[in-house]
Each structure stands twice: as C-alpha cells, then as structure tokens.
Amino acid sequence: MVSRMFRLETEVDPARRDLLRRRLRDTNTAASPVLRALRGTPAEREAALHVWASDANGALAGGLVGHTWTTWLHVTYLWVDARHRGAGLGSRLLTAAERLAGRRGCTASRVETWDFQAPDFYRRQGYEVVCVIPDYPPGVTEYTLTKRLPRPRREPGR
C-alpha cells in the first residue's frame, strides 16, 4: 500500500479554481463521446438569452434571464412584478424564451424553483418535475423541472 501525505487548504483561489475547471472539463471530455464531439463547436459555448417586458411607462414589468447550451435552454431567473402577476406575462416571457431557444436548436428546457415560488406555474407550462430536494435550503423544497420543446416552425418559402 502506498502512503501519501496531502496538505488541505481552504482558501479561495480563483487561479486554482480555473485550473480545476479545466482539468475536470478535460476528464469529462475524455470520458464522454458526446462532450468530445461538442468541443470546438458553437454548441459548446453558453449563449445568454434574455427576455424583458416593460410596462406602458417603460418600467420593468418582468423578465427572464437564462442561457442556451448544446440543445438546452436553462432558465436561471423568471420574475414578474406583483402588479402584473396573473395577467399571463410570465407565460409570455417563458414562451418567448422557448421560441428563441428553439431557433437556436434547443430541444429541451430546464429550470430550478422553490416550493414557494413557481413549481405549479411551470407544470401548467408543460414542464415535468424530474428532481425534488427537500430542505434545500432548510425548510424549503427545491424542484428541477424539464420540458421538451417543439421544433421551430419554418417560415413559408424557406
């Protein structure tokens, strides 16, 4: 048996974080033919996706912030001002993001939400719960939901 000694450190170190990220990426690429095929292609890079809604006065009424990666839309934030909730604005923001993601070649979408936020909203939009983490954070349940996106319709004459 080989005995090894290690020194463990707990400092925040951005340079080592980046090195770790690169090494993990290299390990994952070597282990996965799918990830290997993505390397060096446009689909490998995350692309920001934002949708904004302004009210009649130009104030922010709601918005969606996310990104696309490979064939997935990841919804990071979706928020609607309390004055505009219940009017379908959240659905419109999400639908617009899904359409844009579809034009980018995305075939699926994912989102994480807490029990007091919007799991029922996402279910009504066709999302299915794929993961439930109770007590994350303590006293709250986190949900991960996904949805298959329809193929984008081609414009006439194309």
Side-chain angles (χ1 to χ4, degrees):
M1 175 187 261
V2 176
S3 175
R4 296 185 179 153
M5 304 240 345
F6 299 98
R7 179 179 50 157
L8 300 180
E9 302 172 37
T10 59
E11 68 187 65
V12 174
D13 185 335
R16 284 197 267 186
R17 176 206 59 212
D18 293 344
L19 175 61
L20 185 76
R21 183 182 303 141
R22 284 191 305 274
R23 289 186 178 172
L24 180 60
R25 177 185 161 176
D26 292 346
T27 300
N28 291 343
T29 299
S32 169
V34 173
L35 292 176
R36 203 166 33 256
L38 282 172
R39 297 299 176 231
T41 70
E44 174 188 28
R45 291 181 288 283
E46 289 182 6
L49 188 149
H50 297 180
V51 182
W52 306 106
S54 301
D55 66 17
N57 299 319
L60 183 64
L64 181 148
V65 171
H67 66 269
T68 56
W69 178 69
T70 67
T71 59
W72 281 81
L73 164 63
H74 185 149
V75 177
T76 307
Y77 308 120
L78 174 57
W79 174 82
V80 174
D81 186 279
R83 294 172 295 166
H84 304 291
R85 291 182 190 152
L89 182 54
S91 298
R92 290 176 60 192
L93 290 164
L94 187 57
T95 298
E98 291 172 352
R99 284 188 183 140
L100 180 56
R103 289 197 296 272
R104 293 183 183 182
C106 291
T107 58
S109 177
R110 66 173 286 174
V111 63
E112 294 86 25
T113 190
W114 287 323
D115 55 5
F116 64 86
Q117 289 178 320
D120 292 335
F121 165 79
Y122 289 107
R123 285 186 189 111
R124 287 192 302 272
Q125 306 308 310
Y127 285 71
E128 296 179 11
V129 174
V130 295
C131 179
V132 178
I133 305 174
D135 220 26
Y136 183 77
V140 176
T141 299
E142 181 181 87
Y143 293 85
T144 300
L145 300 98
T146 63
K147 176 183 178 179
R148 288 284 160 205
L149 300 178
R151 292 181 177 249
R153 287 190 269 178
R154 294 180 181 252
E155 296 179 19
R158 290 196 172 203

